Amino acid sequence: MDHFPGTWGRPRNDVYGAYDPSYLQSTGPKTHTTSPAVTGTSVIGVKFNGGVVLATDNLASYGSLARFTDTKRLRIFGNKAVVGFGGDVSDMQYIDRLLESIDIRENYSSHGNMLNAKNLHTYLAKVFYKRRSEFNPLWNHVLVAGFDGEGKPFLSSADLLGTTFSAPHLATGFGAHLAVPILRRLFPEEKPIEEISREEAVDALKQCLKVLFYRDARSLDKYSIAVITQEGIDLKEDEQLEGQSWAFAERIKGYGAQTV
Amino acid sequence: MTSLMDHQARETVGYSFSESTASGVKQHGFYPYTDNGGSTLGITGSDFAILAGDTRSTSGYNINSRMVPKVFKIGGDDETGEGANIILSVVGFAADGTALKERLDTVVKMYKYQHGKPMTVSACAQRLSTILYQKRFFPYYVHAILAGLDEEGKGALYSYDPVGSYEREQCRAAGAAASLIMPFLDNQVNFKNQYIPGSGEGHALAAKKAEPLPLETVKGLVRDAFTSSVERHIEVGDNLQMVIITKDGIQEVYHPLKKD
Amino acid sequence: MFRNNYDNDAVTFSPQGRIFQVEYAQEAVKQGSVVVGLVNKTHAVLVGLKRNAEELSSYQKKIIEIDSHMAIAIAGLASDARVLSNFMKQQSLGSKMTYGRPIPLERIVTQIGDRAQTNTQHYGKRPYGVGLLVAGVDEAGPHLFEFQPSGLIHEMVACAIGARSQMARTYLERNLDKFADCSRDQLINHGLRALKETLSQDKELTVDNTSVGVIGLAPEGSKGRIESFKLYEGQETVPLLEALERSEASGTVEDESMEVDS
């Protein structure tokens, strides 16, 4: 017999597990995002002669759960630039709305849209830096692709801390470990981007996506790819990874609980 | 499952309400800083000042980019840097470095606008200290070095800690390889531990007196300092950026460093 | 007792639909010494006639740099212009900070236009007593804008405001078709000629009273995209004034090409 009337009818810890009382907190300091929830994995990009290619897969994970399998993580800005998002998907959607309102404002100007990819990257980095300084970060790592003020191909990265850097090929998240070495081998630094064709660049990214799908547990074989040239943006959002070969998996032994 | 239950059974009553509403355990916190590696170095002479830095940007064991300069012209034209008479190097957390550089740049431009003359290096040095100290409790995580020519035309160099303590010096190394470079500089610029041969016995041995070095010698020291840092520090490499300020203006040169 | 019952504040219409305070503010512009601005396909030029309050005083500032890509020329209350130029300077630096690009001229001119308009619709406020010519370069090329205390803004090919500016405008109108394709030096020459038209009989353009500001697109193959704002004052104006004299003597606007002027 339970002698505590206050406990009658309440879920018991031995049946339901301990209750997390932090949800009951109605007062206390204002809290911010301290970890991402629904996330996208790597973004990869490479410059070629006359443009930039950017690719992501279409997965949004909830922890280890493959939650949404057709999330478009490449966003176009004003027919001039593409932003590829890794990290929190809700923060991505917030930033996308932000960019849309800027695009609308820019188009009110009689001279048309004048913010290029470089300007957009500067702006995004400032937004990220401001939010991190308020301890209220936007949990993303993005690549911005397009052209700079002189019409040269532009590819640059910005992350939740406001850190920025630029290189002929870039990758976020897992891609920084798996894709960048492949890209560096295919397109060595001393090779000028003028010698890289569009086809080579696209093929390289597909190869990287495949390797990522093999080895990144939070990735998908459905992907988006955007080719940005002076003629415009060619965005494909419903692509399927082709030519997979899982033969190597047979030979992998000795990890974790597997003993045979 | 049983082990979980055991853990709970050890707690006395076992009902949720018995726990306090003080927030729970875990929570993956947000840390607003990162270290982007790299090293900087500044040396002055009688009529010049040099600031130098490598151009590698890292996160952990990853190389973000091989071309992220750390030395900036302050108060000049945005595109070309023309009209500047002060240079600044920042190493540490790159996003804070960029923010700090842009703030100081704006301050120097506003000064020129309001007073109709360029800011002196000593005034700028004092102002930079204030800017850093204002963020005493959420510091810019950078080691800054400011350089220019003083009112007498002599090379001037000021070095800072992240919260604004500063000092005018002949030379200073900062960043990842500071501990490797600084002792070399003590010996080669300020002639520490160098004595005049045959000037006496034991304590009577006269120390070699430090005097300003010619530009070519200093350039050589800078290159030696970096080529040797590259050998011993993984965060230093790719390219050496050297910015030299003389009465004739600012000259900027890049030299390749090892990329391993 | 009152000459006019409808000019006690800047928010009341007269029965004829006029706001007298705004019109008075425009009179203040007409009291200021003249400034002229003009653009061609590559450059924007501002020229101004500086006055000194008395023999012993210095000459007033007529052309103010806002940023490396933009400057204003003022006619009217200089102190009001200072408030506006401070604001513009901040906006311009702000835009460079957040987007890394020079602020489009139309954007910043609209902003000061909106500020000026606010002063004509809120009780207790006073319109700016200054007119501006805003010249500069942005992504879309060189521009010239006129700004009036009413908040009116217009993009112009050529414009003059201030005392006796009608004479300059007449010159500009007569020579309008020559501006678009002329060179940088010719454009300055046209500006100085327009300015000279406004002078009364006993006055001359001198190194002391002439200000010239030039801003434009950099020639092909130069370091930056723009030729940063350059202000010519004092001795620096000597070559410009000499070129003006020569061109008047020959009846042409001087340049390497020696274009014939009607």
Side-chain angles (χ1 to χ4, degrees):
Chain A
M1 176 64 194
D2 191 340
H3 300 284
F4 298 98
T7 68
W8 295 347
R10 288 193 182 236
R12 286 168 47 172
N13 283 8
D14 56 345
V15 179
Y16 297 99
Y19 184 75
D20 179 1
S22 65
Y23 295 106
L24 290 174
Q25 262 189 321
S26 53
T27 56
K30 191 173 173 245
T31 54
H32 295 303
T33 315
T34 50
S35 63
V38 179
T39 59
T41 181
S42 321
V43 187
I44 50 181
V46 61
K47 288 198 235 184
F48 62 88
N49 186 20
V52 194
V53 216
L54 214 56
T56 61
D57 65 30
N58 290 355
L59 180 68
S61 309
Y62 181 66
S64 57
L65 171 72
R67 182 63 184 84
F68 303 106
T69 52
D70 65 344
T71 311
K72 275 69 178 176
R73 298 199 285 124
L74 295 180
R75 301 294 167 108
I76 291 179
F77 177 78
N79 294 320
K80 271 275 173 219
V82 177
V83 187
F85 287 88
D88 195 282
V89 172
S90 63
D91 285 347
M92 166 182 89
Q93 289 165 344
Y94 167 77
I95 293 170
D96 197 35
R97 286 199 295 277
L98 210 65
L99 296 185
E100 195 154 298
S101 67
I102 291 173
D103 192 32
I104 290 167
R105 196 173 70 217
E106 280 295 304
N107 278 294
Y108 272 114
S109 154
S110 56
H111 305 299
N113 183 7
M114 295 191 292
L115 283 179
N116 55 40
K118 196 177 179 186
N119 301 142
L120 183 66
H121 174 260
T122 310
Y123 172 74
L124 276 176
K126 292 279 147 62
V127 173
F128 280 127
Y129 185 74
K130 181 171 183 288
R131 290 289 293 263
R132 86 98 217 188
S133 299
E134 292 164 355
F135 278 86
N136 184 197
L138 291 165
W139 217 285
N140 299 99
H141 191 161
V142 303
L143 296 188
V144 185
F147 295 93
D148 64 11
E150 292 161 17
K152 285 194 297 209
F154 176 85
L155 175 64
S156 203
S157 142
D159 72 6
L160 68 165
L161 294 175
T163 317
T164 56
F165 45 85
S166 182
H169 29 63
L170 286 171
T172 74
F174 240 86
H177 298 96
L178 294 182
V180 168
I182 297 172
L183 294 170
R184 284 198 182 141
R185 170 157 296 179
L186 288 172
F187 313 123
E189 249 117 75
E190 54 275 12
K191 184 171 174 175
I193 63 159
E194 286 75 24
E195 286 174 21
I196 302 169
S197 72
R198 173 180 173 151
E199 289 69 30
E200 279 179 298
V202 171
D203 287 346
L205 285 202
K206 286 182 182 171
Q207 195 184 325
C208 291
L209 285 167
K210 193 152 66 181
V211 171
L212 282 165
F213 183 55
Y214 288 150
R215 283 293 179 171
D216 180 359
R218 279 89 175 102
S219 70
L220 199 65
D221 54 352
K222 283 204 297 173
Y223 66 94
S224 305
I225 190 161
V227 184
I228 305 115
T229 56
Q230 288 289 12
E231 284 74 55
I233 297 167
D234 178 18
L235 175 64
K236 298 199 201 93
E237 289 187 312
D238 205 18
E239 299 294 283
Q240 173 74 36
L241 265 188
E242 275 157 14
Q244 292 172 45
S245 165
W246 288 88
F248 73 91
E250 298 280 323
R251 294 190 295 277
I252 298 175
K253 284 183 181 168
Y255 287 109
Q258 187 189 27
T259 49
V260 190
Chain B
M1 191 64 187
T2 47
S3 64
L4 268 174
M5 303 295 275
D6 290 344
H7 175 71
Q8 273 158 28
R10 255 177 260 127
E11 285 167 17
T12 47
V13 184
Y15 287 100
S16 54
F17 72 91
S18 63
E19 289 168 34
S20 78
T21 53
S23 69
V25 263
K26 45 158 196 266
Q27 272 197 354
H28 163 235
F30 169 67
Y31 188 65
Y33 295 112
T34 189
D35 184 359
N36 297 105
S39 239
T40 58
L41 145 66
I43 303 176
T44 58
S46 55
D47 58 353
F48 69 90
I50 287 190
L51 278 186
D54 68 320
T55 64
R56 179 174 288 186
S57 162
T58 64
S59 354
Y61 290 139
N62 276 327
I63 296 172
N64 291 328
S65 173
R66 299 193 192 278
M67 201 56 210
V68 181
K70 292 180 183 66
V71 189
F72 307 101
K73 295 170 190 167
I74 296 296
D77 182 84
D78 294 275
E79 272 183 80
T80 59
E82 265 166 49
N85 63 334
I86 295 170
I87 47 181
L88 172 76
S89 74
V90 278
V91 64
F93 174 35
D96 271 350
T98 317
L100 180 65
K101 165 212 114 186
E102 283 181 6
R103 243 181 100 178
L104 192 67
D105 189 59
T106 317
V107 164
V108 172
K109 281 180 179 150
M110 283 307 275
Y111 182 100
K112 194 174 179 189
Y113 173 64
Q114 277 164 351
H115 297 88
K117 61 181 180 189
M119 203 171 192
T120 61
V121 187
S122 59
C124 187
Q126 174 65 56
R127 186 71 186 87
L128 178 56
S129 169
T130 332
I131 290 172
L132 288 164
Y133 192 78
Q134 274 172 356
K135 270 171 69 72
R136 173 67 178 77
F137 296 107
F138 183 26
Y140 287 116
Y141 224 132
V142 290
H143 282 100
I145 304 174
L146 190 80
L149 299 178
D150 65 12
E151 280 96 329
E152 295 166 24
K154 291 197 181 96
L157 185 113
Y158 297 85
S159 73
Y160 297 79
D161 79 349
V163 288
S165 307
Y166 80 112
E167 189 179 9
R168 184 171 172 179
E169 294 180 293
Q170 291 304 313
C171 63
R172 170 59 64 184
S179 55
L180 276 63
I181 300 174
M182 203 60 219
F184 170 71
L185 258 33
D186 286 336
N187 183 244
Q188 292 295 310
V189 179
N190 291 323
F191 299 145
K192 292 282 161 62
N193 293 92
Q194 291 199 47
Y195 298 93
I196 300 160
S199 58
E201 290 291 318
H203 291 288
L205 200 63
K208 189 173 171 190
K209 205 127 163 34
E211 53 190 59
L213 298 169
L215 180 59
E216 287 310 313
T217 313
V218 170
K219 277 187 189 168
L221 288 177
V222 171
R223 296 185 64 165
D224 288 349
F226 275 90
T227 41
S228 33
S229 299
V230 168
E231 293 297 326
R232 290 289 182 172
H233 203 115
I234 55 167
E235 288 174 2
V236 182
D238 296 331
N239 293 287
L240 169 62
Q241 176 198 19
M242 252 204 265
V243 183
I244 303 152
I245 189 160
T246 60
K247 64 178 190 323
D248 303 318
I250 299 175
Q251 191 204 355
E252 185 174 10
V253 282
Y254 287 90
H255 298 290
L257 290 174
K258 280 170 71 172
K259 295 189 165 44
D260 58 1
Chain C
M1 189 167 123
F2 289 111
R3 190 180 62 83
N4 190 334
N5 283 322
Y6 296 96
D7 66 354
N8 293 312
D9 59 61
V11 299
T12 310
F13 280 108
S14 81
Q16 288 78 39
R18 298 162 62 180
I19 298 172
F20 284 104
Q21 281 298 331
V22 173
E23 292 183 22
Y24 297 163
Q26 275 158 339
E27 288 304 313
V29 178
K30 289 182 196 162
Q31 310 251 337
S33 67
V34 65
V35 285
V36 179
L38 54 172
V39 274
N40 65 9
K41 283 178 180 162
T42 58
H43 286 82
V45 168
L46 293 172
V47 296
L49 183 68
K50 295 185 286 187
R51 277 201 291 231
N52 52 347
E54 48 186 296
E55 278 301 303
L56 297 175
S57 81
S58 62
Y59 285 82
Q60 64 174 144
K61 232 178 153 171
K62 294 298 281 183
I63 300 174
I64 302 172
E65 179 179 355
I66 299 297
D67 205 335
S68 56
H69 76 292
M70 176 167 48
I72 58 170
I74 63 172
L77 296 180
S79 37
D80 282 15
R82 209 166 56 235
V83 172
L84 279 170
S85 68
N86 274 332
F87 171 78
M88 292 171 82
K89 183 95 195 168
Q90 274 168 9
Q91 291 296 311
S92 186
L93 281 171
S95 175
K96 281 244 175 88
M97 266 266 217
T98 29
Y99 300 104
R101 67 146 182 208
I103 194 167
L105 252 77
E106 191 191 75
R107 180 82 52 87
I108 196 165
V109 172
T110 310
Q111 281 175 349
I112 56 167
D114 290 351
R115 276 171 79 96
Q117 194 279 338
T118 313
N119 289 343
T120 67
Q121 218 178 9
H122 288 271
Y123 190 80
K125 295 215 178 220
R126 160 175 86 70
Y128 290 112
V130 70
L132 306 180
L133 295 179
V134 185
V137 184
D138 60 25
E139 306 270 311
H143 298 282
L144 173 71
F145 284 89
E146 180 194 5
F147 161 88
Q148 288 286 339
S150 58
L152 167 139
I153 48 165
H154 266 137
E155 173 147 24
M156 309 295 272
V157 174
C159 186
I161 55 172
R164 302 165 59 90
S165 59
Q166 184 53 53
M167 312 292 282
R169 277 200 297 277
T170 307
Y171 174 87
L172 295 172
E173 281 162 22
R174 286 211 182 115
N175 295 280
L176 193 60
D177 51 328
K178 297 187 191 112
F179 298 158
D181 291 308
C182 73
S183 72
R184 178 187 187 273
D185 293 344
Q186 285 174 326
L187 198 68
I188 297 173
N189 209 269
H190 279 300
L192 287 172
R193 284 188 142 202
L195 191 69
K196 198 169 185 185
E197 294 283 323
T198 70
L199 298 178
S200 49
Q201 289 290 307
D202 54 337
K203 283 274 182 60
E204 285 270 7
L205 287 181
T206 68
V207 291
D208 291 322
N209 68 11
T210 314
S211 261
V212 179
V214 189
I215 198 159
L217 297 168
E220 290 287 321
S222 9
K223 214 172 170 191
R225 204 182 75 84
I226 67 163
E227 176 189 324
S228 293
F229 175 72
K230 169 86 179 113
L231 181 63
Y232 296 87
E233 276 187 320
Q235 290 307 311
E236 285 176 305
T237 60
V238 171
L240 306 178
L241 292 173
E242 281 173 359
L244 173 70
E245 232 168 79
R246 281 199 301 275
S247 74
E248 279 179 330
S250 63
T252 60
V253 167
E254 191 174 274
D255 193 47
E256 305 85 345
S257 57
M258 281 296 203
E259 185 195 72
V260 179
D261 191 55
S262 58

